[in-house]
Amino acid sequence: MSIKKTSLNNLHIKYGAKLVEFAGYQMPIQYKDGIIQEHKYTRSHSGIFDVSHMGQLFISGGDDLTNDLEKIFPADLKKLKTNQSKYSFLMNNKGGIQDDLIITKTSDGFLIILNAACKYNDYEVIKSKLDNQYKLNLDESLSLIALQGPEAKNVLNKVIPGCNSLKFMNGNNYIYNNKKVYITRSGYTGEDGFEISIKHSDTETFVESLIENGSKLIGLGARDTLRMEAGLCLYGNDLDNDTSPIEANLKWAIPKSRIETEFVGSEVLKNQFQSGVKKLRVGIKPDSKVIARGNTKIYNDKNQEIGKVTSGTFGPSVEHPIAMGYVDNSYSTVNTKIFLEVRGKKIPANICNLPFYKKNYVKGEINV
Amino acid sequence: MSEVKYSKEHEWIKLDGEEATIGITKHATEMLGDIVFAELPEKGSNVDKDGTAGVVESTKAASDVYTPVSGEVIDTNQMIVDDPSKINEDPEESAWFFKLKIKDKSEMDSLMSKEEYEKFAKESSA
């Protein structure tokens, strides 16, 4: 299979991107400024992320669609207002996460944003679970651009007037270059921001105008350090088929109204809600400057293995190494002393609260 | 007069008499990106040619630092441990990693000259 390019490929090259293959796409890992500067610019001003590799799945048709989707996703879709978004999961029968995703109610159905590496599989799974009754469109004629940071609202409002009135986890249709674009206020950095779904042919001009208004392109490297500081999970690292949302400490994303109802994986989740879980995702802060990356083994003070790190890096804004991982539930309390095995040495660390970096979201209607 | 040579693992080595100063090249720092962590060998320890003698980590990944020659570690540069970003700023001068008392000067012979290294670096990153 040949490597795919997004509609911004030429622009990435123009701005000096180092390109890498990610989920079958040629994507920028960083630009000329480097990961730390890009990270800090997003926190202090605004950063543009090409996330066009992610899946944009539109589902429409039929009065029972909401009901049928609730049999798949543990979200309260009946209560969702048009243009409102929720974070949810596609699970297997064991309650393991097959993908984490954002569901938005649109005027004629739902839009689901899927992880790049999972999107084709998700499409097949959802289609078969819906018994082919609805119209599913994994729309590859659209790019997806995220604009994140405290200045994002001002920059975007200059290019697409009116969008700064959107509330967090809400979307709407806007016009750019006489064509419809769909914008949601959401993101993956711990900052206020937007995701813009736009026709491929308009993407380059749109992004250039964001740059003219002061934003900078940001690569996947800084996207990763930003999301880690914000305590957000990366599918494939922090979430996988053998991990449930409860174990992932994402219980907040499963509304109480759904716990007693049926959906894929509901039996396991109900049981975990009642009896608790064995492992739990936690934040980890090493005492020293040593960085513990994914797969680092975690030990207790008796040298017994109690878990493993799933993501770890140096946090440019917190100016300290940060990590998250799974530990035996009895070690998940904040301030528990643990030890990370890095290059044969046991590095002392503490369980800590997530996020590492305090969020700056613009509050809207949030019911968690 | 001091002699400067380069290794295929992207270290530079400057030899003054028996004292060898070792660091990583500018080309290496450009490949690594922003360096956020450095670990150095213990003073007084002995290191063997091509063996691991430290670690550098960027935001993305960890990489071993190798010693291009054998010897006893006589000094390490605490400045780069305290502020690893100095390695990106001045890799071939003030941000050296460690100094060795060289065991066998003939180990320098197999290393590359500046011109040879520049050609090698260009080809290996192409």
Side-chain angles (χ1 to χ4, degrees):
Chain A
M1 204 177 79
S2 67
I3 183 162
K4 290 190 225 171
K5 291 174 180 174
T6 71
S7 59
L8 288 185
N9 198 261
N10 288 332
L11 205 70
H12 295 321
I13 293 163
K14 177 181 163 187
Y15 285 93
K18 274 190 195 174
L19 296 165
V20 294
E21 188 181 342
F22 183 83
Y25 286 82
Q26 196 178 52
M27 299 300 288
I29 186 92
Q30 65 171 78
Y31 300 85
K32 278 185 185 141
D33 290 347
I35 294 174
I36 291 182
Q37 290 310 314
E38 290 173 24
H39 176 115
K40 289 184 173 169
Y41 197 75
T42 307
R43 292 254 184 267
S44 67
H45 196 283
S46 60
I48 308 159
F49 302 76
D50 182 8
V51 289
S52 304
H53 55 322
M54 297 185 83
Q56 303 185 51
L57 175 61
F58 293 85
I59 308 179
S60 61
D63 296 340
D64 288 333
L65 177 60
T66 307
N67 254 329
D68 285 344
L69 285 176
E70 281 201 350
K71 289 176 196 157
I72 304 174
F73 303 107
D76 203 340
L77 300 177
K78 286 195 197 83
K79 269 197 200 152
L80 212 56
K81 293 173 191 148
T82 302
N83 290 319
Q84 202 183 8
S85 308
K86 286 285 174 207
Y87 177 65
S88 195
F89 314 96
L90 179 63
M91 289 184 286
N92 56 35
N93 289 327
K94 295 182 294 175
I97 303 172
Q98 278 188 288
D99 199 1
D100 65 329
L101 38 84
I102 302 269
I103 307 180
T104 304
K105 187 171 166 138
T106 60
S107 52
D108 64 345
F110 292 88
L111 162 63
I112 309 180
I113 304 293
L114 307 164
N115 277 303
C118 306
K119 63 181 180 182
Y120 299 115
N121 186 53
D122 290 353
Y123 174 83
E124 293 302 332
V125 170
I126 295 167
K127 192 175 172 164
S128 106
K129 287 195 193 300
L130 288 174
D131 287 334
N132 298 313
Q133 286 185 69
Y134 302 96
K135 193 176 157 235
L136 275 78
N137 178 19
L138 186 58
D139 197 334
E140 303 223 301
S141 73
L142 296 170
S143 293
L144 191 64
I145 303 301
L147 184 67
Q148 299 277 297
E151 289 298 317
K153 59 179 186 295
N154 299 326
V155 172
L156 189 60
N157 210 54
K158 281 181 196 158
V159 181
I160 301 177
C163 60
N164 65 354
S165 61
L166 274 176
K167 294 201 166 67
F168 183 62
M169 291 302 268
N170 276 265
N172 218 331
N173 287 303
Y174 293 86
I175 298 293
Y176 177 76
N177 193 25
N178 298 319
K179 282 175 229 113
K180 202 178 83 172
V181 292
Y182 193 75
I183 303 179
T184 58
R185 197 158 198 162
S186 56
Y188 190 49
T189 59
E191 297 294 332
D192 179 28
F194 303 84
E195 290 186 0
I196 303 104
S197 171
I198 181 169
K199 286 272 173 212
H200 290 324
S201 54
D202 285 328
T203 311
E204 213 176 277
T205 328
F206 170 67
V207 169
E208 286 280 26
S209 60
L210 298 176
I211 295 170
E212 277 161 29
N213 282 290
S215 292
K216 286 186 179 177
L217 283 162
I218 310 296
L220 291 180
R223 183 168 158 85
D224 201 41
T225 54
L226 287 159
R227 69 94 192 164
M228 265 192 253
E229 281 189 345
L232 300 168
C233 294
L234 172 63
Y235 191 80
N237 280 41
D238 310 299
L239 307 175
D240 60 33
N241 280 313
D242 297 318
T243 305
S244 82
I246 319 289
E247 292 168 324
N249 220 337
L250 299 169
K251 202 151 68 171
W252 59 266
I254 299 175
K256 289 199 172 68
S257 58
R258 292 301 318 272
I259 295 165
E260 296 299 324
T261 61
E262 272 189 33
F263 50 86
V264 182
S266 58
E267 282 302 308
V268 177
L269 256 55
K270 203 157 88 181
N271 195 14
Q272 290 183 346
F273 262 111
Q274 284 163 359
S275 330
V277 287
K278 272 192 177 159
K279 62 171 183 180
L280 199 65
R281 184 175 65 98
V282 291
I284 298 162
K285 204 159 189 173
D287 292 356
S288 64
K289 285 185 156 187
V290 176
I291 300 165
R293 311 252 176 204
N295 288 321
T296 298
K297 287 177 179 171
I298 306 172
Y299 294 83
N300 65 10
D301 57 0
K302 293 180 192 72
N303 214 15
Q304 292 159 319
E305 200 176 322
I306 54 162
K308 84 176 178 158
V309 172
T310 49
S311 283
T313 190
F314 177 83
S317 298
V318 300
E319 296 180 325
H320 196 83
I322 53 172
M324 56 177 107
Y326 287 82
V327 293
D328 185 298
N329 200 8
S330 53
Y331 295 92
S332 64
T333 316
V334 169
N335 289 329
T336 304
K337 192 99 221 160
I338 56 166
F339 297 86
L340 310 167
E341 191 178 70
V342 179
R343 292 181 287 274
K345 288 181 205 152
K346 298 279 186 338
I347 309 297
N350 280 300
I351 304 290
C352 68
N353 281 317
L354 292 170
F356 298 98
Y357 182 87
K358 207 179 163 332
K359 288 177 186 176
N360 252 329
Y361 296 131
V362 169
K363 302 278 181 198
E365 296 169 57
I366 302 179
N367 24 22
V368 289
Chain B
M1 207 187 102
S2 63
E3 183 188 10
V4 183
K5 290 228 165 168
Y6 299 85
S7 76
K8 288 187 173 173
E9 302 290 350
H10 306 285
E11 286 92 21
W12 56 265
I13 173 167
K14 190 170 95 178
L15 190 67
D16 287 293
E18 293 201 323
E19 186 185 285
T21 306
I22 291 155
I24 65 172
T25 64
K26 188 162 195 321
H27 176 73
T29 62
E30 283 163 2
M31 288 191 299
L32 288 165
D34 298 320
I35 294 168
V36 292
F37 176 78
E39 194 174 84
L40 298 171
E42 296 266 334
K43 227 186 269 186
S45 66
N46 284 289
V47 291
D48 294 326
K49 180 179 167 61
D50 301 331
T52 309
V55 175
V56 282
E57 296 206 31
S58 70
T59 40
K60 286 175 283 187
S63 310
D64 286 325
V65 175
Y66 301 93
T67 173
V69 298
S70 310
E72 184 192 338
V73 180
I74 51 174
D75 202 2
T76 57
N77 190 358
Q78 189 60 34
M79 177 188 83
I80 65 166
V81 176
D82 296 338
D83 184 1
S85 70
K86 291 274 191 280
I87 303 167
N88 291 102
E89 286 167 22
D90 193 19
E92 300 197 12
E93 293 290 338
S94 62
W96 53 275
F97 276 55
F98 53 92
K99 291 179 194 282
L100 297 180
K101 189 182 170 207
I102 193 167
K103 199 171 149 191
D104 178 1
K105 283 187 188 177
S106 72
E107 287 182 347
M108 292 289 282
D109 298 344
S110 60
L111 298 170
M112 291 178 275
S113 69
K114 190 169 179 66
E115 292 71 33
E116 286 169 330
Y117 174 72
E118 278 171 0
K119 190 165 171 265
F120 166 79
K122 209 174 163 187
E123 281 166 5
S124 60
S125 62

